[in-house]
Amino acid sequence: MTDNTVENRSEIVFITDAQDCNPNGNPLGENRPRKDPITDQAVVTDVRLKRYLRDQLDADDHGVFIKKTGDESEVRARLALDVLGDIDDADAIEEIEDIRDDFLDAATDVRYFGATLSFNADTDDDLLDAVAEAFDGGNYTGPVQFSPARSLNAVEENEESNTLTSVIATQDDKKTGGFDLDDNRLKYAIFPFHGLVDENGASDTKLTRTDVERLDTLCWRAMKNQTISRSKMGQEPRLYVRVEYATNGYHVGDLHNGFDLDAERSKPEPELRNVTDATLDVTKFVNRLASVNDHVETVHFVGDEYLDVSYNGEQYGTAADLDTLLEDHGVPTREIEVYNEFEQTLPADE
């Protein structure tokens, strides 16, 4: 066990919202926002969230194995080579003492989320064949997992912008023309993601304590930085809590179910349009953690001042005040300074 070994289990709740955008289109449904057809709750998959996190890791110059979709084995072998660095012939592969360790050291996303490594052993490329032989198959199970998020509210789509007419100029004669594009967006939705960091699985992918601490700023920054395309813009992080437990093998579970929209202080669901229309009821979350505070090492926390919160039927403040509320109930907290802390976990500081 090294000084940087993950020793404590953590449970994460990451609350985001989406205004006038499509947070997760369904390619099998004309790219319309994903919804539960029974409850009309919007859905954002864990795959979509992990894509944001991988893109932010890549933007921060961390090695990332899964950079694009597609499962061709040859593509995966080439991506593995990209992560491993300057290797240009099969002999260099054979000189690596432990390619699995080197791969995990370089592939930051695999340390978090795992990966499937099943390369084609016959690619007509000696270098790729050498990669496949060196790994000899194998999968990595990620110790960090998130669940898909269902919105706290039933959602509606922007009917007035279902069809967008775009006008373009051609290169030849500068004429303009128009064509219809689908432009499906949610009016407003607020999502609680739930995640778990498994300290027992951390050793399988060499996940470090620094990696876990990086999540405290990575989630927030990824939602800020990786949602700036036309269809994705309008998403914001509102509350991030990582409950680090002191008791081996212990976690509460389903902590995201401790958050509700306060029906008395929020506008009716059909009228929700932005974050100022919503109030988050944190009563069940606070009371649950207060009841098990002997198991809690620290709640790492960052909140947004636009999102109002209520507790026990009373307006309390904003999400930025949640640490005070938890401390009042005997739960130790640490406020995350996102833009002062993230540089400590960039590659140069590892």
Side-chain angles (χ1 to χ4, degrees), residues 84 93-105 134-135 140 206:
L84 286 167
I93 292 290
E94 295 179 359
E95 293 173 0
I96 297 176
E97 183 175 348
D98 191 330
I99 197 169
R100 292 170 182 270
D101 278 355
D102 284 10
F103 175 72
L104 290 174
D105 286 342
F135 275 96
Y140 297 100
K206 302 181 67 176

Side-chain angles (χ1 to χ4, degrees), residues 219-228 235-237 304 339:
C219 290
W220 199 270
R221 293 175 59 240
M223 193 57 61
K224 288 282 192 183
N225 297 335
Q226 306 304 324
T227 58
I228 56 176
Q235 298 177 81
E236 291 287 343
D304 181 81
Y339 293 95

Side-chain angles (χ1 to χ4, degrees), residues 107-251:
T108 308
D109 61 329
V110 179
R111 296 201 301 273
Y112 287 115
F113 310 127
T116 298
L117 303 179
S118 53
F119 306 130
N120 190 332
D122 183 12
T123 64
D124 295 326
D125 185 313
D126 291 342
L127 180 54
L128 298 185
D129 290 346
V131 172
E133 184 176 352
F135 275 96
D136 192 25
N139 299 319
Y140 297 100
T141 300
V144 178
Q145 295 297 334
F146 288 94
S147 299
R150 292 177 181 273
S151 62
L152 296 177
N153 58 304
V155 298
E156 296 185 2
E157 294 184 30
N158 279 342
E159 299 89 354
E160 69 276 11
S161 59
N162 274 352
T163 301
L164 170 72
T165 300
S166 290
V167 179
I168 60 174
T170 67
Q171 293 297 319
D172 296 331
D173 54 11
K174 307 301 182 186
K175 292 181 179 179
T176 61
F179 56 91
D180 292 336
L181 297 172
D182 289 333
D183 189 36
N184 305 303
R185 296 164 184 256
L186 300 179
K187 292 180 178 177
Y188 184 74
I190 183 166
F191 300 94
F193 287 97
H194 177 244
L196 189 70
V197 180
D198 176 19
E199 78 285 9
N200 296 316
S203 59
D204 294 339
T205 64
K206 302 181 67 176
L207 186 79
T208 67
R209 193 168 62 238
T210 302
D211 291 329
V212 176
E213 292 168 353
R214 182 181 299 113
L215 283 174
D216 294 343
T217 58
L218 185 72
C219 290
W220 199 270
R221 293 175 59 240
M223 193 57 61
K224 288 282 192 183
N225 297 335
Q226 306 304 324
T227 58
I228 56 176
S229 65
R230 187 176 178 280
S231 65
K232 294 291 183 286
M233 190 168 180
Q235 298 177 81
E236 291 287 343
R238 297 302 180 186
L239 178 65
Y240 171 95
V241 289
R242 178 170 65 86
V243 182
E244 183 176 5
Y245 292 103
T247 304
N248 289 338
Y250 180 89
H251 71 278

